[in-house]
Amino acid sequence: MKQTYYGDREKCYQCYRPKSSCMCAYCQKIQTDTKFVILMHPKEFKKVKNNTGHFTHQSLPNSELYVGIDFSNHTKINEIIKTHQSYILFPSEDALNITHENPKTTHKPLAIFLIDSTWACAKPIFYKSKNLQQLPHMSFTTTQESMYEIKVQPKEGYLSTIESTLVVLQALKKHAIEQVSEEELVLFLQPFHKMIAYQKELIANPLSHAVRFKKR
């Protein structure tokens, strides 16, 4: 595991979290034919307490992560859009519901774009990136509630990036697009669960100065 030092705190070079709260060891690799493209807002990149986009990226070898806001002229992203049957996970009335509909309709490999950010920051990424606006939308239906107990979701039914990706992986398995084992799906959220447990422990221990959290 590569590490680097920022000030007087040692940090992991992969997830950018302090070494004391690094969860990289719990990330389980899942090989997919589908390419996942994680678009992270700069504000989200700077967070060390609750960023699940890094976990998602580390767990999916066939994924790419880019930080920015306007990706209109991003060479690599435009190349992926051109060579893949691409969707963006973004709720709308016309979105393809992957829970019920098979998204694979061409011979091209599948690519799913995920915006990793708060809802307020996700909108600028979508509306400033003209190439993303041209992509068909994807959504899903789930009864799953977010396990992000330490973070208030903007609306009921909202999931974190890694939780949303799990729902998508389950749907891809259902449509026989991906051959993912049940064990792999169960372990996919392991770093997320470990992070929540770690943060709840910090909240319960007011003497800890590693990371500060407010009780809900």
Side-chain angles (χ1 to χ4, degrees), residues 91-102:
S92 70
E93 292 183 0
D94 299 324
L96 179 143
N97 190 324
I98 193 174
T99 304
H100 308 294
E101 302 175 72
N102 189 326

Side-chain angles (χ1 to χ4, degrees), residues 45-131:
F45 179 79
K46 295 177 181 178
K47 294 179 181 178
V48 297
K49 293 187 294 185
N50 52 20
N51 188 320
T52 67
H54 286 296
F55 295 155
T56 305
H57 177 47
Q58 289 186 59
S59 301
L60 298 173
N62 191 15
S63 70
E64 301 187 29
L65 188 153
Y66 301 105
V67 180
I69 298 177
D70 186 353
F71 295 97
S72 299
N73 299 312
H74 195 288
T75 302
K76 183 58 178 178
I77 288 177
N78 285 328
E79 179 183 330
I80 293 172
I81 293 174
K82 182 178 179 180
T83 57
H84 290 67
Q85 183 179 3
S86 301
Y87 293 87
I88 183 168
L89 193 64
F90 200 85
S92 70
E93 292 183 0
D94 299 324
L96 179 143
N97 190 324
I98 193 174
T99 304
H100 308 294
E101 302 175 72
N102 189 326
K104 195 80 164 60
T105 60
T106 74
H107 67 282
K108 290 183 177 181
L110 193 64
I112 300 176
F113 286 76
L114 311 169
I115 298 180
D116 182 56
S117 179
T118 61
W119 183 243
C121 290
K123 287 182 178 180
I125 291 178
F126 180 75
Y127 289 112
K128 289 186 178 182
S129 302
K130 304 303 180 184
N131 49 357

Side-chain angles (χ1 to χ4, degrees), residues 4-13 16:
T4 187
Y5 286 88
Y6 288 80
D8 59 349
R9 302 185 68 189
E10 189 176 3
K11 290 192 177 184
C12 172
Y13 191 67
Y16 299 96

Side-chain angles (χ1 to χ4, degrees), residues 97-103 141 166-180 182 185:
N97 190 324
I98 193 174
T99 304
H100 308 294
E101 302 175 72
N102 189 326
T141 302
L166 175 61
V167 175
V168 171
L169 287 170
Q170 291 169 331
L172 293 174
K173 175 180 173 66
K174 172 186 173 183
H175 295 304
I177 296 173
E178 296 294 345
Q179 305 300 316
V180 183
E182 288 298 327
L185 293 175

